[in-house]
Amino acid sequence: MSSDETLFDRPGEGRLVHADKDHPPVPRAKVGVLLANLGTPDGTDYRSMRRYLSEFLSDRRVVDYSPWLWQPLLQLVILTKRPFSSGEAYRSIWNTENDESPLLTITREQTRKIAEALEMDYGDRIVVDFCMRYGNPSTGGALRRLQAQGCERILFFPLYPQYASPTTATANDHAFRTLMTMKWQPAFRTAPAYFDQPAYIDALAASVKESFAQADRRPDVLVASYHGVPERYLHEGDPYHCQCQKTTRLLKERLGWSDSDIVTTFQSQFGPEKWVGPATVDHVAELARQGYKDIAVISPAFAADCVETLEEIQQQIKESFLEAGGEGFTYVPCLNDRDDHIQALLGVMRNELSGWV
């Protein structure tokens, strides 16, 4: 019996043991688990895309230039054009059946599977929900829903294997801002990066083996493509670049491959400053010019397929490789709601929930 169950005269809900006889029934406090992903526009039209991009690109964790310089450029120049091109990209991968982005569809399914598994472990003690840093469902709304359901303790779980300031940190920041508005704050934990967890590496390795087995010809090299960050972030103490490099090394070792079988690259660069490299879109073309006819690309920094993987990698980066002389291109899907991925996430959650349930 858990410690708080001794406070009640019957499991789940009842009178507090030491309360007066006429005290109304009190629901037992619950623990919330809130999964957080990057975000998604509500639609692919101009207004939806502009609203989403404005929120995303106004985040000082994402673009940390002075607002006095950045906001006029963003609002008057970038957001007059970019919503059209971004909307086109989203339309090419949009889940038309549910009228939502694939990221939203996949994150919802991940949440459902995790909720079912935790219910088997802890019954109705755990409430699982998900949110987006940008767009809907909002972080603030999800935190308040959990509190309304009796969650006095919440584990906040950013779905980023590697820690980065523009992803993990801003997700945490946004959750903390909501807590600052609450009269009664729940106890709150943030989950750590899990890039080096053996179960996560095992799931990555299994996905590679499956994709290679299904390819018409075995790829000559695997490109591990991570979302890029400005190079100065590395020098300012952000561990993301190092954690990406370690992820690739651990995956290589788990597969039993040599150094030449896998390469680390970075995608999605924008802006004038120098970013960590090599750039995926350029490096795959260089591989083709070097005589590599068949390659595979995996995205270990994304917990769910999204516009950066379904459009950027499978369309733009693939095109770069084929136009440079490549012949075979295999995309290794994100881990999404694979059972081994769900089990890897559950392993981290159970560890972080220890002492609470």
Side-chain angles (χ1 to χ4, degrees):
M1 181 176 291
S2 64
S3 60
D4 67 330
E5 285 181 341
T6 63
L7 298 174
F8 295 87
D9 60 3
R10 63 178 183 272
E13 181 178 291
R15 287 184 300 105
L16 293 168
V17 171
H18 300 292
D20 293 335
K21 292 183 178 180
D22 60 350
H23 195 287
V26 178
R28 186 173 60 184
K30 297 183 179 181
V31 176
V33 174
L34 183 56
L35 306 178
N37 216 322
L38 181 72
T40 173
D42 295 325
T44 62
D45 59 284
Y46 176 83
R47 291 189 180 278
S48 295
M49 291 304 312
R50 183 183 176 106
R51 183 167 57 250
Y52 171 73
L53 290 171
S54 180
E55 183 182 9
F56 174 50
L57 296 175
S58 293
D59 186 348
R60 294 294 305 277
R61 289 281 196 181
V62 175
V63 181
D64 58 0
Y65 303 147
S66 168
W68 294 99
L69 298 174
W70 175 243
Q71 280 299 318
L73 177 64
L74 175 65
Q75 300 298 331
L76 300 177
V77 179
I78 296 173
L79 291 181
T80 61
K81 299 179 179 179
R82 185 157 178 172
F84 292 108
S85 59
S86 294
E88 183 178 355
Y90 270 96
R91 280 190 292 276
S92 71
I93 55 102
W94 200 248
N95 180 346
T96 55
E97 182 178 349
N98 293 352
D99 191 24
E100 63 187 23
S101 72
L103 179 68
L104 182 56
T105 304
I106 294 166
T107 306
R108 183 186 295 111
E109 186 62 13
Q110 291 170 328
T111 303
R112 183 188 68 79
K113 289 188 173 184
I114 287 170
E116 289 180 353
L118 291 178
E119 183 179 11
M120 292 181 64
D121 288 346
Y122 307 114
D124 64 356
R125 296 286 311 282
I126 303 287
V127 181
V128 183
D129 205 343
F130 74 96
C131 65
M132 298 292 171
R133 169 60 183 89
Y134 314 103
N136 296 303
S138 70
T139 302
L143 283 171
R144 291 187 176 89
R145 281 196 303 274
L146 289 175
Q147 188 178 52
Q149 294 175 79
C151 295
E152 295 182 8
R153 301 174 179 180
I154 295 176
L155 171 63
F156 188 69
F157 199 106
L159 285 167
Y160 307 113
Q162 301 82 16
Y163 174 96
S165 172
T167 53
T168 312
T170 189
N172 291 340
D173 288 347
H174 208 46
F176 294 143
R177 280 192 285 269
T178 297
L179 294 177
M180 291 171 63
T181 69
M182 292 182 171
K183 294 294 185 184
W184 183 6
Q185 291 180 334
F188 195 78
R189 290 179 180 172
T190 60
Y194 55 91
F195 68 97
D196 56 355
Q197 292 296 307
Y200 165 71
I201 298 299
D202 287 347
L204 282 179
S207 72
V208 171
K209 291 177 180 178
E210 291 172 14
S211 293
F212 273 47
Q214 296 168 7
D216 295 333
R217 293 183 298 184
R218 189 184 190 283
D220 303 313
V221 65
L222 175 65
V223 177
S225 179
Y226 301 83
H227 198 291
V229 293
E231 189 176 274
R232 63 183 168 84
Y233 282 30
L234 171 63
H235 303 299
E236 292 171 353
D238 192 308
Y240 176 72
H241 180 267
C242 297
Q243 292 183 1
C244 291
Q245 296 287 354
K246 186 173 181 179
T247 302
T248 300
R249 177 175 63 80
L250 293 173
L251 176 58
K252 179 198 68 175
E253 293 172 354
R254 177 64 181 80
L255 291 167
W257 289 0
S258 66
D259 291 346
S260 61
D261 292 326
I262 186 169
V263 62
T264 297
T265 63
F266 296 88
Q267 63 184 85
S268 308
Q269 177 177 341
F270 70 91
E273 65 181 307
K274 184 179 180 181
W275 281 44
V276 295
T280 305
V281 67
D282 298 328
H283 195 73
V284 297
E286 181 60 27
L287 288 173
R289 288 190 287 268
Q290 291 175 6
Y292 290 93
K293 297 300 182 183
D294 296 89
I295 67 169
V297 179
I298 189 173
S299 301
F302 296 98
D305 274 308
C306 53
V307 70
E308 285 87 356
T309 64
L310 299 175
E311 194 276 335
E312 186 177 359
I313 290 179
Q314 293 201 71
Q315 297 181 37
Q316 298 179 36
I317 290 170
K318 178 181 180 179
E319 182 180 344
S320 176
F321 177 69
L322 297 179
E323 287 184 349
E327 297 176 0
F329 186 95
T330 299
Y331 173 63
V332 181
C334 290
L335 295 178
N336 296 327
D337 64 339
R338 289 172 55 106
D339 289 343
D340 50 6
H341 185 214
I342 298 300
Q343 289 303 314
L345 297 176
L346 284 167
V348 180
M349 290 175 189
R350 290 183 180 116
N351 183 66
E352 296 304 314
L353 289 170
S354 62
W356 278 5
V357 290

